[in-house]
């Protein structure tokens, strides 16, 4: 029945629930688990959970586990048993690296190594998609206890895991003329993902000839750099520099993708900045938070370009990964156009890390 929410729609609801501190239920056949985000967990909800018969665990990524010296028996994650006296503050102290200096004596941890971690893996992926810390309290249960969770959003774990791996289709919503400083012949296109996530934008300069390679850039949103003029990165100068080159050329397409902080969201990016102030580089900070070097999905850019009738580009980028991704998705990158702008006193270490660890051509 079309009036009943699809699993994709339930996933959008689940992301909002976790951000508000509500739990969600994952089901896989006869197995089920209640999932609560570590970041938004409350003492009351954790106490009620610990009163139930069972053994909840805190699931964290292997990246975070390495910082905590917790053994990730499941390969990509670790399942840390919650002590009976644990409160929400204990959970957050383990989950959030900003607290590592305040509470350096963590552990030793009791880590589960038996049984399946499939539900925990999907739960962490949902937390990431919610732009929360990738740490979740997971309470495995059975049908006899499900009445305790009436009213919570329920997801099929297998279907949800597949959704989180797949690229979400985008739909063009509207486009309109938008005169810009670099060109009076500007046009803004808005694309909305079917999963209820953030919208993405395409800034079209002039009338690019689709039969020839189009000057293009995939630019990830950076609130601090693009809007506030942050000196910690080169994003703002790259945005303005790319638009200026398109204006001078008379045509081009800049994709503005809402994947802040390499796909971890603004709040987590600020957590990474706080760790950088402690002496960690950009990649190390992301790892301590529990994320990979780069969590962005550039398949979004390829889909937008195709929907705009673009099959080949001259790509404004210093990042070889963008070229590889576009090529893999059927967009022919005939030329890499360097975009070396914005180096300053405060971002020299950041740029050096991008070159050394992420392969940027700077």
């Amino acid at each position: 029945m079309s009036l009943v929410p699809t699993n994709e729609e339930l996933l959008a609801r689940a992301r909002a629930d976790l951000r508000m501190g509500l739990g969600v239920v994952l089901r896989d056949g006869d197995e089920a688990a209640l999932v609560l985000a570590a970041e938004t967990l409350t003492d009351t909800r954790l106490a009620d959970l610990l009163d139930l018969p069972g053994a909840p665990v805190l699931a964290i990524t292997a990246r975070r586990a390495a910082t905590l010296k917790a053994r990730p028996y499941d390969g990509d994650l670790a399942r840390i048993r919650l002590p009976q006296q644990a409160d929400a503050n204990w959970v957050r102290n383990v989950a959030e690296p900003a607290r590592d200096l305040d509470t350096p004596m963590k552990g030793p941890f009791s880590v589960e190594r038996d049984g399946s971690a499939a539900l925990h893996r999907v739960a962490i992926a949902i937390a990431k998609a919610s732009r929360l810390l990738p740490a979740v309290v997971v309470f495995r249960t059975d049908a006899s206890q499900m009445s305790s969770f009436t009213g919570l959003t329920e997801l099929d774990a297998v279907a949800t895991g597949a959704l989180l791996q797949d690229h979400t289709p985008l739909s063009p919503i509207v486009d309109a003329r938008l005169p810009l400083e670099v060109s009076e012949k500007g046009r803004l296109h808005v694309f909305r993902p079917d999963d209820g996530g953030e919208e993405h934008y395409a800034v079209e300069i002039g009338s690019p000839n689709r039969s020839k390679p189009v000057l293009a850039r995939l630019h990830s949103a950076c609130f601090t750099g693009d809007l506030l003029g942050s000196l910690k990165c080169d994003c703002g100068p790259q945005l303005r520099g790319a638009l200026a080159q398109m204006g001078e050329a008379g045509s081009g397409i800049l994709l503005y993708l809402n994947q802040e902080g390499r796909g971890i969201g603004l709040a987590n990016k600020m957590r990474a900045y706080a760790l950088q102030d402690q002496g960690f580089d950009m990649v190390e900070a992301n790892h301590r938070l529990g994320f990979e070097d780069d969590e962005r999905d550039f398949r979004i850019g390829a889909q937008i370009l195709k929907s705009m009738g673009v099959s080949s580009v001259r790509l404004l980028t210093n990042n070889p990964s963008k070229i590889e991704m576009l090529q893999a998705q059927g967009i022919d990158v005939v030329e890499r156009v360097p975009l070396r702008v914005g180096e300053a006193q405060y971002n020299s270490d950041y740029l050096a890390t991008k070159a050394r660890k992420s392969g940027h051509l700077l």
Side-chain angles (χ1 to χ4, degrees):
M1 181 178 181
S2 64
L3 298 179
V4 176
T6 65
N7 207 70
E8 190 171 55
E9 290 162 342
L10 288 171
L11 176 57
R13 183 186 297 174
R15 293 199 304 264
D17 289 349
L18 289 181
R19 290 176 65 85
M20 291 188 296
L22 278 172
V24 300
V25 174
L26 288 176
R27 283 184 174 274
D28 183 5
D30 294 332
E31 291 187 272
L34 173 67
V35 176
L36 292 154
E39 183 175 337
T40 55
L41 184 66
T42 65
D43 281 328
T44 300
R45 284 186 168 135
L46 180 57
D48 287 342
L49 183 63
L50 293 173
D51 281 342
L52 295 173
V57 298
L58 174 61
I60 58 174
T61 67
R63 293 293 191 187
R64 179 61 180 152
T67 296
L68 299 169
K69 303 296 188 291
R71 212 176 270 272
Y73 290 113
D74 300 306
D76 57 341
L77 63 90
R79 294 171 285 156
I80 298 174
R81 295 188 181 96
L82 266 64
Q84 190 62 35
Q85 70 275 16
D87 58 12
N89 194 55
W90 183 92
V91 171
R92 283 191 290 272
N93 285 343
V94 175
E96 184 162 349
R99 298 171 178 240
D100 286 351
L101 292 181
D102 297 331
T103 56
M105 300 303 293
K106 297 184 175 74
F109 298 107
S110 175
V111 181
E112 286 193 356
R113 61 190 306 172
D114 298 323
S116 172
L119 295 175
H120 308 74
R121 190 167 289 113
V122 175
I124 288 176
I126 298 173
K128 282 186 176 183
S130 307
R131 299 294 185 260
L132 297 168
L133 286 168
V136 287
V137 172
V138 179
F139 177 76
R140 296 182 71 164
T141 184
D142 54 35
S144 66
Q145 292 183 329
M146 288 305 298
S147 60
S148 303
F149 311 133
T150 301
L152 297 182
T153 301
E154 291 189 21
L155 297 168
D156 178 273
V158 175
T160 300
L163 280 174
L164 292 166
Q165 289 291 326
D166 291 343
H167 170 60
T168 299
L170 293 161
S171 301
I173 302 303
V174 67
D175 63 271
R177 188 175 69 88
L178 183 67
L180 302 171
E181 289 182 356
V182 299
S183 172
E184 294 182 0
K185 297 179 180 180
R187 195 166 198 86
L188 182 65
H189 303 253
V190 178
F191 294 83
R192 182 176 298 158
D194 294 350
D195 67 357
E198 299 98 334
E199 294 172 346
H200 305 282
Y201 318 116
V203 182
E204 185 174 13
I205 302 297
S207 300
N209 185 349
R210 268 66 164 173
S211 66
K212 297 181 179 180
V214 173
L215 183 63
R217 171 162 176 78
L218 275 61
H219 187 90
S220 297
C222 178
F223 171 77
T224 51
D226 298 341
L227 186 62
L228 302 182
S230 167
L231 300 178
K232 284 181 69 69
C233 65
D234 57 346
C235 301
Q238 284 193 325
L239 172 64
R240 291 180 283 277
L243 287 173
Q245 286 196 47
M246 292 175 186
E248 291 171 6
S251 67
I253 296 176
L254 183 141
L255 305 187
Y256 196 85
L257 308 178
N258 273 311
Q259 301 190 105
E260 181 85 38
R262 295 189 157 217
I264 65 176
L266 182 58
N268 287 320
K269 184 173 90 169
M270 290 300 97
R271 290 182 171 114
Y273 276 10
L275 290 170
Q276 289 172 37
D277 288 341
Q278 296 175 20
F280 301 101
D281 67 31
M282 171 184 65
V283 172
E284 291 167 342
N286 273 22
H287 289 178
R288 292 184 76 88
L289 284 164
F291 294 104
E292 296 302 316
D293 302 19
D294 195 334
E295 297 273 353
R296 290 175 291 183
D297 184 357
F298 289 121
R299 292 176 297 179
I300 297 169
Q303 182 182 342
I304 293 175
L305 288 172
K306 288 179 181 179
S307 72
M308 297 181 71
V310 176
S311 60
S312 65
V313 297
R314 298 170 55 236
L315 192 65
L316 278 157
T317 187
N318 303 323
N319 184 357
S321 294
K322 290 183 180 180
I323 299 173
E324 294 171 4
M325 181 284 305
L326 285 180
Q327 297 275 25
Q329 295 299 312
I331 301 293
D332 185 20
V333 181
V334 302
E335 179 187 359
R336 183 185 74 86
V337 181
L339 191 59
R340 296 174 182 168
V341 294
E343 184 172 0
Q345 172 189 352
Y346 291 98
N347 67 16
S348 58
D349 289 342
Y350 163 80
L351 294 177
T353 300
K354 286 210 296 187
R356 186 176 69 256
K357 294 188 174 183
S358 301
H360 287 224
L361 303 173
L362 300 174

